[in-house]
Amino acid sequence: MGSELRVLSNSCSQFEWVFADRTQVSLDNLSVLQSQLETIEPDFILNFGAYTAVDKAETEQELADVVNHLAVAIIALYANKNKAKLIHISTDYVFDGTSSIALTEEAITQPLNVYGVTKRAGELACLKLNPDAIIIRTSWVYSRFGNNFVKTMQRLLQERDTISVVNDQIGSPTYAADLAQVIMDIVTAQEWIPGVYNYSNEGEISWYEFVLAIQEIGGYICEVNGIPTSAYPTPARRPAYSLLDKSKIKFVYGVNVPDYKDSLAVCMKGGL
């Protein structure tokens, strides 16, 4: 996310942008986080940082909670006291996956794994300590930068003759560049409207269908087999259905949401 926003920031000169790494803003070191924020003195805080190793979080619960919850509380309180606008990124993993319709911002949250529990705790802390904050829940994020699902699948589709992908977990991918543009639109909007918002690309697909789209766009020759979640056990449970309803962000901020396949093609062609 940060890398995609950095690209957009080149054409937005009304702000002085600071893209802080782990040494400048230490989400895993609460004793120094407050002073780090005071050193930067931001007018806007865009918190993309998180502990996202979903399976590893099952055995690193304390660290996941520090980064996804306790650090968020410090950031939210700082932003509230210093009148800094805060956008915090959250996840579809706050839901349990039992819905059969797209999830609105008011849908009941009931995380299935430690990652989801800590992200929900971060949401609650953010809302309590800074009612003026904006929280954006997103899902299946990928980018042309860094390591992510799309890049992994591109590599496997070229290296292997056959791959198997879960076909009973339903949602929609999010191209990080699209989400970065939404964040830029919110930051530069005439009115700041706090609250929880959903954002992902359009489309209701499984991970299996996502890989088929990657294969089609890339022209890769590989047999792709769909398998049930039960055939691919992981330490952390995943929601079976986490499609996000984007009606609110479309209405409030006039956001245009591209189809997942269109954005996937843009990303795979270099993000141009």
Side-chain angles (χ1 to χ4, degrees):
M1 274 298 305
S3 296
E4 296 286 6
L5 191 66
R6 187 190 294 269
V7 173
L8 291 178
S9 71
N10 293 328
S11 59
C12 182
S13 58
Q14 70 185 87
F15 301 115
E16 179 184 346
W17 295 87
V18 176
F19 292 92
D21 60 21
R22 293 180 182 181
T23 63
Q24 295 168 289
V25 176
S26 305
L27 298 181
D28 59 348
N29 190 340
L30 303 181
S31 63
V32 302
L33 180 56
Q34 177 75 26
S35 62
Q36 289 174 325
L37 292 169
E38 291 171 352
T39 298
I40 298 173
E41 294 184 319
D43 295 314
F44 286 85
I45 301 174
L46 311 178
N47 182 31
F48 306 147
Y51 183 107
T52 58
V54 177
D55 289 322
K56 199 173 181 181
E58 296 296 307
T59 55
E60 292 190 347
Q61 298 182 20
E62 184 176 351
L63 178 57
D65 189 64
V66 166
V67 175
N68 293 342
H69 168 210
L70 300 180
V72 176
I74 291 174
I75 292 170
L77 187 59
Y78 173 88
N80 189 46
K81 286 184 175 180
N82 293 276
K83 301 188 184 305
K85 299 298 185 185
L86 170 62
I87 295 180
H88 172 65
I89 302 300
S90 192
T91 173
D92 60 320
Y93 276 36
V94 299
F95 300 112
D96 66 5
T98 58
S99 177
S100 59
I101 59 173
L103 294 147
T104 69
E105 291 80 359
E106 290 74 35
I108 295 173
T109 57
Q110 192 170 347
L112 297 175
N113 53 49
V114 170
Y115 169 68
V117 167
T118 59
K119 288 296 288 183
R120 177 55 178 161
E123 287 185 357
L124 293 173
C126 187
L127 293 168
K128 178 181 179 180
L129 297 172
N130 191 343
D132 193 49
I134 288 176
I135 295 173
I136 302 178
R137 290 175 181 152
T138 190
S139 60
W140 304 14
V141 179
Y142 67 94
S143 171
R144 55 189 151 147
F145 301 105
N147 297 317
N148 55 72
F149 182 80
V150 170
K151 285 189 173 182
T152 298
M153 289 301 108
Q154 285 182 281
R155 175 176 57 80
L156 294 179
L157 286 165
Q158 295 175 81
E159 291 179 351
R160 300 184 181 180
D161 296 324
T162 304
I163 61 172
S164 297
V165 187
V166 170
N167 62 7
D168 56 359
Q169 293 175 22
I170 306 301
S172 187
T174 304
Y175 180 30
D178 292 338
L179 180 54
Q181 183 60 61
V182 169
I183 290 168
M184 184 69 78
D185 291 344
I186 291 174
V187 167
T188 57
Q190 293 184 345
E191 188 176 5
W192 178 270
I193 305 173
V196 179
Y197 296 88
N198 293 335
Y199 184 84
S200 68
N201 287 123
E202 296 287 17
E204 180 176 345
I205 61 170
S206 67
W207 289 104
Y208 167 70
E209 291 169 308
F210 193 20
V211 174
L212 291 182
I214 295 169
Q215 181 184 45
E216 178 186 342
I217 293 169
Y220 306 123
I221 300 173
C222 176
E223 182 181 348
V224 182
N225 298 312
I227 60 171
T229 298
S230 59
Y232 187 72
T234 56
R237 295 172 60 196
R238 268 72 168 171
Y241 187 94
S242 59
L243 183 67
L244 300 173
D245 184 311
K246 279 81 69 173
S247 301
K248 181 179 178 181
I249 201 166
K250 290 178 184 177
F251 176 77
V252 174
Y253 279 105
V255 167
N256 175 50
V257 182
D259 181 80
Y260 86 92
K261 207 166 184 179
D262 293 338
S263 290
L264 177 62
V266 171
C267 179
M268 289 178 62
K269 293 174 183 175
L272 300 177

